[in-house]
Amino acid sequence: MAQIQPRYDLPYRKQQQQPQLSHQVAKTTTAVTLGGSLVVLSGLTLAATVIGLVLATPLLVIFSPVLVPAAIAAFLILAGFVTSGGFGAVASFVFYWMYRYATGKHPVGADQIDRARDKIAHAAYDVKEKAEHYGQQQQQHVKGT
């Protein structure tokens, strides 16, 4: 029968686990502190928002006939500029992509475009062949009657 040998490395293993435990405690303490700070900051922000709304409501009611149309106009103008800029950026990117594709530099997505073009060309060829075959059948049918 084999004898059980004593393990002399147990104190060493306990020393390895203690730094891990203290490291885990430090991480947990940091997370709780940071989370608590963020919750307090969130509460203060909510309180400041409510107080500001309470103080600003009478002014908004008094000036609403002027502010509401002005806000709508400002929103529409801003939305128009942002939309125009977005469309311009997209158009410039599309022109750049088309230039690279036309000059053979193989931009991203060119393989998919080529596969789609080949599928469409193949489908068009099949439709042409079927139409010619159907036309020949109809001519033979008309000649036969």
Side-chain angles (χ1 to χ4, degrees), residues 4-21:
I4 299 176
Q5 294 181 358
R7 298 193 66 154
Y8 295 108
D9 62 342
L10 284 178
Y12 175 70
R13 285 188 180 190
K14 286 183 181 178
Q15 286 176 357
Q16 280 183 343
Q17 290 176 356
Q18 284 177 345
Q20 291 176 354
L21 180 62

mmCIF file of all heavy atoms in Angstrom, residues 4-21:
data_model
loop_
_atom_site.group_PDB
_atom_site.id
_atom_site.type_symbol
_atom_site.label_atom_id
_atom_site.label_comp_id
_atom_site.label_asym_id
_atom_site.label_seq_id
_atom_site.Cartn_x
_atom_site.Cartn_y
_atom_site.Cartn_z
ATOM 1 N N ILE A 4 0.707 7.875 2.342
ATOM 2 C CA ILE A 4 0.349 9.259 2.036
ATOM 3 C C ILE A 4 1.488 10.132 2.510
ATOM 4 O O ILE A 4 1.868 10.100 3.677
ATOM 5 C CB ILE A 4 -0.971 9.651 2.721
ATOM 6 C CG1 ILE A 4 -2.082 8.766 2.209
ATOM 7 C CG2 ILE A 4 -1.263 11.115 2.501
ATOM 8 C CD1 ILE A 4 -3.400 9.005 2.900
ATOM 9 N N GLN A 5 2.025 10.910 1.583
ATOM 10 C CA GLN A 5 3.133 11.772 1.931
ATOM 11 C C GLN A 5 2.598 13.113 2.422
ATOM 12 O O GLN A 5 1.639 13.645 1.866
ATOM 13 C CB GLN A 5 4.026 11.991 0.722
ATOM 14 C CG GLN A 5 4.704 10.713 0.277
ATOM 15 C CD GLN A 5 5.607 10.965 -0.914
ATOM 16 O OE1 GLN A 5 5.679 12.071 -1.411
ATOM 17 N NE2 GLN A 5 6.308 9.926 -1.338
ATOM 18 N N PRO A 6 3.216 13.657 3.454
ATOM 19 C CA PRO A 6 2.755 14.956 3.953
ATOM 20 C C PRO A 6 3.067 16.046 2.935
ATOM 21 O O PRO A 6 4.057 15.984 2.217
ATOM 22 C CB PRO A 6 3.536 15.144 5.247
ATOM 23 C CG PRO A 6 4.745 14.287 5.108
ATOM 24 C CD PRO A 6 4.337 13.131 4.222
ATOM 25 N N ARG A 7 2.193 17.007 2.902
ATOM 26 C CA ARG A 7 2.375 18.124 1.965
ATOM 27 C C ARG A 7 2.970 19.287 2.732
ATOM 28 O O ARG A 7 2.358 19.825 3.634
ATOM 29 C CB ARG A 7 1.049 18.496 1.340
ATOM 30 C CG ARG A 7 0.492 17.326 0.531
ATOM 31 C CD ARG A 7 -0.601 17.750 -0.299
ATOM 32 N NE ARG A 7 -0.093 18.679 -1.309
ATOM 33 C CZ ARG A 7 -0.650 18.877 -2.469
ATOM 34 N NH1 ARG A 7 -1.730 18.233 -2.771
ATOM 35 N NH2 ARG A 7 -0.159 19.722 -3.320
ATOM 36 N N TYR A 8 4.181 19.656 2.339
ATOM 37 C CA TYR A 8 4.873 20.733 3.012
ATOM 38 C C TYR A 8 4.626 22.092 2.353
ATOM 39 O O TYR A 8 5.071 23.100 2.842
ATOM 40 C CB TYR A 8 6.386 20.450 3.050
ATOM 41 C CG TYR A 8 6.722 19.241 3.863
ATOM 42 C CD1 TYR A 8 7.131 18.072 3.243
ATOM 43 C CD2 TYR A 8 6.607 19.272 5.253
ATOM 44 C CE1 TYR A 8 7.421 16.954 3.986
ATOM 45 C CE2 TYR A 8 6.904 18.148 5.996
ATOM 46 C CZ TYR A 8 7.303 16.992 5.358
ATOM 47 O OH TYR A 8 7.597 15.896 6.095
ATOM 48 N N ASP A 9 3.902 22.079 1.224
ATOM 49 C CA ASP A 9 3.692 23.337 0.516
ATOM 50 C C ASP A 9 2.374 24.012 0.893
ATOM 51 O O ASP A 9 1.992 24.990 0.279
ATOM 52 C CB ASP A 9 3.754 23.110 -0.993
ATOM 53 C CG ASP A 9 2.664 22.173 -1.482
ATOM 54 O OD1 ASP A 9 2.088 21.451 -0.649
ATOM 55 O OD2 ASP A 9 2.399 22.185 -2.703
ATOM 56 N N LEU A 10 1.661 23.538 1.920
ATOM 57 C CA LEU A 10 0.388 24.148 2.307
ATOM 58 C C LEU A 10 0.548 25.588 2.783
ATOM 59 O O LEU A 10 -0.248 26.438 2.404
ATOM 60 C CB LEU A 10 -0.311 23.303 3.362
ATOM 61 C CG LEU A 10 -0.976 22.027 2.833
ATOM 62 C CD1 LEU A 10 -1.592 21.251 3.992
ATOM 63 C CD2 LEU A 10 -2.012 22.341 1.797
ATOM 64 N N PRO A 11 1.533 25.935 3.609
ATOM 65 C CA PRO A 11 1.670 27.343 3.984
ATOM 66 C C PRO A 11 1.927 28.233 2.769
ATOM 67 O O PRO A 11 1.466 29.354 2.699
ATOM 68 C CB PRO A 11 2.863 27.360 4.949
ATOM 69 C CG PRO A 11 2.967 25.981 5.469
ATOM 70 C CD PRO A 11 2.456 25.089 4.373
ATOM 71 N N TYR A 12 2.676 27.697 1.804
ATOM 72 C CA TYR A 12 2.941 28.477 0.593
ATOM 73 C C TYR A 12 1.641 28.729 -0.162
ATOM 74 O O TYR A 12 1.405 29.818 -0.645
ATOM 75 C CB TYR A 12 3.946 27.728 -0.288
ATOM 76 C CG TYR A 12 4.202 28.397 -1.608
ATOM 77 C CD1 TYR A 12 4.910 29.590 -1.664
ATOM 78 C CD2 TYR A 12 3.721 27.858 -2.788
ATOM 79 C CE1 TYR A 12 5.147 30.220 -2.861
ATOM 80 C CE2 TYR A 12 3.951 28.477 -3.992
ATOM 81 C CZ TYR A 12 4.658 29.656 -4.027
ATOM 82 O OH TYR A 12 4.888 30.278 -5.214
ATOM 83 N N ARG A 13 0.772 27.734 -0.249
ATOM 84 C CA ARG A 13 -0.505 27.900 -0.945
ATOM 85 C C ARG A 13 -1.404 28.903 -0.218
ATOM 86 O O ARG A 13 -2.100 29.674 -0.839
ATOM 87 C CB ARG A 13 -1.235 26.560 -1.068
ATOM 88 C CG ARG A 13 -0.627 25.670 -2.102
ATOM 89 C CD ARG A 13 -1.462 24.462 -2.321
ATOM 90 N NE ARG A 13 -0.842 23.623 -3.320
ATOM 91 C CZ ARG A 13 -1.401 22.595 -3.862
ATOM 92 N NH1 ARG A 13 -2.609 22.233 -3.486
ATOM 93 N NH2 ARG A 13 -0.775 21.883 -4.766
ATOM 94 N N LYS A 14 -1.372 28.893 1.101
ATOM 95 C CA LYS A 14 -2.172 29.858 1.845
ATOM 96 C C LYS A 14 -1.664 31.272 1.589
ATOM 97 O O LYS A 14 -2.436 32.211 1.508
ATOM 98 C CB LYS A 14 -2.147 29.542 3.349
ATOM 99 C CG LYS A 14 -2.991 28.352 3.711
ATOM 100 C CD LYS A 14 -3.003 28.130 5.200
ATOM 101 C CE LYS A 14 -3.836 26.923 5.552
ATOM 102 N NZ LYS A 14 -3.848 26.644 6.977
ATOM 103 N N GLN A 15 -0.366 31.440 1.447
ATOM 104 C CA GLN A 15 0.180 32.757 1.156
ATOM 105 C C GLN A 15 -0.238 33.219 -0.233
ATOM 106 O O GLN A 15 -0.448 34.388 -0.468
ATOM 107 C CB GLN A 15 1.711 32.728 1.257
ATOM 108 C CG GLN A 15 2.222 32.659 2.668
ATOM 109 C CD GLN A 15 3.742 32.542 2.699
ATOM 110 O OE1 GLN A 15 4.391 32.454 1.658
ATOM 111 N NE2 GLN A 15 4.291 32.529 3.903
ATOM 112 N N GLN A 16 -0.366 32.283 -1.157
ATOM 113 C CA GLN A 16 -0.810 32.652 -2.502
ATOM 114 C C GLN A 16 -2.272 33.085 -2.490
ATOM 115 O O GLN A 16 -2.660 33.975 -3.207
ATOM 116 C CB GLN A 16 -0.650 31.473 -3.463
ATOM 117 C CG GLN A 16 0.754 31.297 -3.972
ATOM 118 C CD GLN A 16 0.816 30.151 -4.980
ATOM 119 O OE1 GLN A 16 -0.085 29.324 -5.054
ATOM 120 N NE2 GLN A 16 1.889 30.119 -5.745
ATOM 121 N N GLN A 17 -3.093 32.443 -1.675
ATOM 122 C CA GLN A 17 -4.511 32.755 -1.648
ATOM 123 C C GLN A 17 -4.793 34.057 -0.920
ATOM 124 O O GLN A 17 -5.748 34.738 -1.229
ATOM 125 C CB GLN A 17 -5.292 31.613 -1.006
ATOM 126 C CG GLN A 17 -5.331 30.368 -1.877
ATOM 127 C CD GLN A 17 -6.016 29.208 -1.181
ATOM 128 O OE1 GLN A 17 -6.403 29.310 -0.022
ATOM 129 N NE2 GLN A 17 -6.138 28.102 -1.888
ATOM 130 N N GLN A 18 -3.996 34.435 0.059
ATOM 131 C CA GLN A 18 -4.241 35.656 0.806
ATOM 132 C C GLN A 18 -4.118 36.907 -0.067
ATOM 133 O O GLN A 18 -4.965 37.776 0.009
ATOM 134 C CB GLN A 18 -3.326 35.732 2.026
ATOM 135 C CG GLN A 18 -3.790 34.816 3.132
ATOM 136 C CD GLN A 18 -2.855 34.840 4.314
ATOM 137 O OE1 GLN A 18 -1.731 35.319 4.210
ATOM 138 N NE2 GLN A 18 -3.318 34.308 5.437
ATOM 139 N N PRO A 19 -3.095 37.030 -0.905
ATOM 140 C CA PRO A 19 -3.075 38.204 -1.778
ATOM 141 C C PRO A 19 -4.289 38.220 -2.725
ATOM 142 O O PRO A 19 -4.815 39.265 -3.035
ATOM 143 C CB PRO A 19 -1.765 38.063 -2.568
ATOM 144 C CG PRO A 19 -0.893 37.238 -1.711
ATOM 145 C CD PRO A 19 -1.829 36.301 -0.991
ATOM 146 N N GLN A 20 -4.725 37.056 -3.139
ATOM 147 C CA GLN A 20 -5.895 37.021 -3.995
ATOM 148 C C GLN A 20 -7.118 37.505 -3.230
ATOM 149 O O GLN A 20 -7.930 38.240 -3.766
ATOM 150 C CB GLN A 20 -6.131 35.608 -4.524
ATOM 151 C CG GLN A 20 -5.082 35.156 -5.511
ATOM 152 C CD GLN A 20 -5.300 33.722 -5.947
ATOM 153 O OE1 GLN A 20 -6.171 33.036 -5.440
ATOM 154 N NE2 GLN A 20 -4.477 33.262 -6.881
ATOM 155 N N LEU A 21 -7.249 37.113 -1.951
ATOM 156 C CA LEU A 21 -8.381 37.547 -1.146
ATOM 157 C C LEU A 21 -8.314 39.051 -0.907
ATOM 158 O O LEU A 21 -9.318 39.751 -1.044
ATOM 159 C CB LEU A 21 -8.400 36.788 0.185
ATOM 160 C CG LEU A 21 -9.539 37.146 1.138
ATOM 161 C CD1 LEU A 21 -10.873 36.806 0.488
ATOM 162 C CD2 LEU A 21 -9.376 36.433 2.451
#
